Amino acid sequence: MVDKKQVLQEQQPERKPWLDTNLVMLAFAFFIFYYFGHQVLIDRPQKISYSEFKQQLSDGRIAQVRLQGRKVQGRYRGGADDGNSKKKMDFLTTLPDLEDVRLLEQLAEQSVDIQVRPDEASVWVQILVGFLPWLLILALFFYSGRMLRGKMMGAGGGGGMLNFGQSRARRFESSKGGPGFADVAGLEAAKQDLQEIIDYLKSPERFRKLGAKMPKGILMMGPPGTGKTLLAKATASEADVPFYSVSGSEFIEMYVGVGASRVRDMFAKARKDAPALIFIDEIDSVGRVRGTGMGGGNDEREQTLNQILAEMDGFEPDEAVVVLAATNRPDVLDPALLRPGRFDRKVVLELPQKKARKEIFMVHTRKTPLSEDVELDDVAASTVGFSGADIENLVNEAALRAARHNRDKILQEDFSSSRDKVLMGARRDDLLNESERGRTACHEAGHALTAYYSQHSDPLEKVSIVPRGQALGMTEQLPKEDRHNVDELYLKERLSILLGGRCAEVLAYGYVSSGAADDLKQATRLARKMVAQWGMSQRLGPVGYRIAEEHPFLGRELAETKDFSEHTAELLDNEVRVLLQKAERQTMDILKEHRVALDRLILELMKHEALDRKQLDVVLGEGGTLPD
Ligand code: ATP
């Protein structure tokens, strides 16, 4: 969906001609066929019956016979070249199985010249029988050898078994047109950092004259899909230099030493092409801290990493080769990779903020016809936490939806429906029976009402009881602005909202269901962090304990050893419980106070399935009901 051709054209190596060998083989086969075929088909003697042969014999017309087993070949009398022993035989017949005792006598009587040959196959047949198997075996060896070699070398010299040591880096020619900086929305700081490299690659002389040393490596770090690869391609394209792209995992093979030799090969190729740019994606797969013994295949990985380090050290000052590497795990990288002289520049790519999200939407909707009602501002606001790749995917989903509905333009509704699909999964209408629907409406109404009456939380955006993916319903709040820091008041209200579903069920049904399991998990995790990490408990005070920590980019908990006593652990558990119980009481108070509004909201949800911000204002703010 960008103007320029997104994919840089890959250079195809030339294929070797094999036609000439095949032509020789064809000519040879033709010769053999012609020679034997001629012998067998054209120079064949005429076949006659045994009685005819006897008749000819008694008529005295036969001059010569050649006996070979049961086969009799012969010549007639009276030909011009009777004396010529090389003359072809005139006839051929076969002796009957019954013994003809008088045949020899008759032949002698007619003075026929008798030749007897041992009953063996002809010389040609012998040669054929003797040599053909060998020929076939040789041909088989020849061809299988060729095929194996072809496979080992890889078609076109790509990646085969014999050239494992060769780099698998793909070479792209930037002049063939690829994404430029105009195709990368947002990421202004990263683009600025890379601009310097572009200037250097464009005219290295200018920098060399002043004795300036360019950074040899730039490490781009950020969550998946934030445009690291895109930015690397755009940098090569802007600098108009060849671009070698390889993924860290492609260095690693079963055999120790292969990765290192691939690294050598790739750097050698790039040097030859200098000025050039090497892009190593997922560098963490080879660049992990050495000597930890984690991750398996250590020797191979370490050797590969050592080779990368050695190659980067070995750049001569006049070699304009810059290495760009990308990772979403900067925390696991070996410190040696990050020291000055290697990847000493770091470019951090974050998930896009609202403004950048809008720009990414604009880039990806350049060629997509949008209806007048589409407000990209609203779409960007509703996609908090989306990466560039998620946005691209959302635009595609919206276009698919519009096409399914036979429209020639994308509507705002396509975006919102596709967004729910991308976030939660596809709609699953058959999942809930009527009583479960009622319970889900009550649960979601509980969340929504608590959120609506919480002063410090994000505004309520949407409530729905449409089952999607694994969720039976959803309540969505959207922050007015992207948030980087949250305060205690906000977090306490967040706990209340998370418990809203469960509390509403208790209020309406008198007992709880299993539907709140995920809410409880989330609320407990949040409360634990508030107490143990963010110093939000009076009893524990301003201390930060090491509990299982989430990785900043992956959002996943990594196992860590405890650094507190059993007593503190008990205290911690108690404080978490107290915090959650307080939140539950607060929620119950809100729901009881607005019980009428809760019942109204449940009914409206049952009727309409999903309510947006405006509808929620009517039902909750004005105390009204919605038209059917
Ligand atoms: P990973 O870490 O998973 O390799 P990445 O950070 O390298 O991901 P890319 O492959 O560069 O992500 O991005 C995926 C797609 O997302 C790109 O093809 C591009 O279309 C889109 N995209 C990401 N960021 C941007 C952006 N800032 N502007 C425009 N498109 C973007």
Side-chain angles (χ1 to χ4, degrees), residues 6 183-187 222-231 279 281-282 326-328 349 360 363-364 387-390 392:
Q6 281 272 2
D183 301 311
V184 185
L187 303 177
T226 39
K228 296 182 288 294
T229 314
L230 180 68
L231 203 55
F279 175 59
D281 206 357
E282 302 163 39
T327 180
N328 21 32
L349 278 73
I360 301 177
V363 165
H364 289 287
S387 67
D390 292 332
E392 187 184 12

Side-chain angles (χ1 to χ4, degrees), residues 53 56-57 60-66 73-79 82-83 87 90-91 107 110-115:
F53 163 66
Q56 302 272 19
L57 185 62
R61 295 196 52 216
I62 292 178
Q64 186 190 44
V65 290
R66 185 186 293 160
Q73 294 187 68
R75 292 191 182 118
Y76 295 120
R77 270 183 221 282
D82 262 3
K87 185 199 159 199
D90 295 324
F91 65 85
L107 288 168
Q110 297 291 339
S111 314
V112 176
D113 174 26
I114 303 172
Q115 291 177 8

Side-chain angles (χ1 to χ4, degrees), residues 347-366:
V347 174
V348 179
L349 278 73
E350 306 235 326
L351 284 175
Q353 306 283 299
K354 188 177 156 195
K355 182 167 166 277
R357 285 199 300 275
K358 185 181 170 190
E359 285 168 16
I360 301 177
F361 270 111
M362 281 158 71
V363 165
H364 289 287
T365 49
R366 273 184 201 153

Side-chain angles (χ1 to χ4, degrees), residues 235-424:
T235 307
S237 181
E238 293 285 331
D240 198 15
V241 295
F243 172 73
Y244 287 85
S245 167
V246 70
S247 167
S249 53
E250 286 174 63
F251 289 124
I252 305 294
E253 200 61 67
M254 219 161 47
Y255 308 100
V256 175
V258 173
S261 105
R262 282 186 186 159
V263 170
R264 262 194 307 278
D265 187 57
M266 181 180 72
F267 276 83
K269 280 181 186 160
R271 277 198 184 104
K272 243 191 256 167
D273 254 355
L277 207 132
I278 294 177
F279 175 59
I280 309 178
D281 206 357
E282 302 163 39
I283 188 144
D284 46 281
S285 57
V286 284
R288 275 179 200 210
V289 181
R290 288 167 294 178
T292 57
M294 272 173 69
N298 236 14
D299 277 352
E300 168 60 352
R301 243 198 17 239
E302 288 190 5
Q303 285 199 20
T304 308
L305 175 58
N306 286 339
Q307 191 61 44
I308 294 180
L309 300 180
E311 291 290 343
M312 290 184 77
D313 275 344
F315 280 167
E316 295 301 326
D318 58 339
E319 277 170 344
V321 177
V322 174
V323 185
L324 275 181
T327 180
N328 21 32
R329 298 291 315 271
D331 56 326
V332 298
L333 290 183
D334 195 288
L337 261 181
L338 306 175
R339 79 147 171 78
R342 281 147 186 177
F343 290 101
D344 46 2
R345 280 244 177 130
K346 286 155 207 92
V347 174
V348 179
L349 278 73
E350 306 235 326
L351 284 175
Q353 306 283 299
K354 188 177 156 195
K355 182 167 166 277
R357 285 199 300 275
K358 185 181 170 190
E359 285 168 16
I360 301 177
F361 270 111
M362 281 158 71
V363 165
H364 289 287
T365 49
R366 273 184 201 153
K367 289 194 175 168
T368 318
L370 299 180
S371 134
E372 288 78 42
D373 76 327
V374 173
E375 284 294 339
L376 284 184
D377 260 325
D378 291 349
V379 184
S382 69
T383 45
V384 180
F386 272 48
S387 67
D390 292 332
I391 292 175
E392 187 184 12
N393 184 27
L394 173 55
V395 172
N396 188 44
E397 281 292 339
L400 287 176
R401 188 174 187 272
R404 266 200 309 276
H405 288 83
N406 282 329
R407 273 188 257 107
D408 52 4
K409 279 183 179 170
I410 301 182
L411 308 180
Q412 182 82 5
E413 178 198 327
D414 293 321
F415 279 112
S416 51
S417 169
S418 307
R419 189 199 65 126
D420 291 349
K421 189 177 168 192
V422 169
L423 276 179
M424 317 277 296

